[in-house]
Amino acid sequence: MVPWVLWLVAAGVLLLIEMFTFTFYLFWLTIGATAALLVSLIWPEAILLQVAAGAVVTVLLTVFSKPLVARFKHSRGFEDIGTEITGRQGIVVEALEPGRYGQVKVGGDTWSAVSGEVLARDELVRVVRRSSTIIEVERWEEYS
């Protein structure tokens, strides 16, 4: 199989996963795979050069975007819905068990959730913390 097809598939899969997770971590890898794809179109036999190009582009984007993102997050008017979710009340949409994911609706958004206790569907919960796209919840009665 020609290398550019593999890079195209890798970029597509990474982009697809990024769209489902909303973490923005895989986006730079997607662009790196695209850079490797472009190099493979010019030099199809130079696999090491393709990998190096993808890695360099990914590292440069990661390093140079961190200060930009930090400045953007601290700018006036920026709101991150995830930081405001801690302490809010939600309702269990899909039952939760320790060690297994479920779903909780908080406001108008549905989140993947974990809990250290068994929580049934339609039970009220409190958001304890958020990490990327997963929230940790506890039974609401303990805090009402």
Side-chain angles (χ1 to χ4, degrees), residues 27-72:
F27 190 62
W28 299 145
L29 285 171
T30 302
I31 294 175
T34 305
L37 167 83
L38 295 174
V39 171
S40 74
L41 292 173
I42 299 168
W43 296 289
E45 303 299 320
I47 302 296
L48 188 59
L49 182 62
Q50 296 166 24
V51 171
V56 167
V57 167
T58 300
V59 168
L60 288 175
L61 286 172
T62 302
V63 168
F64 288 115
S65 68
K66 282 198 180 272
L68 182 65
V69 170
R71 196 171 350 157
F72 177 72

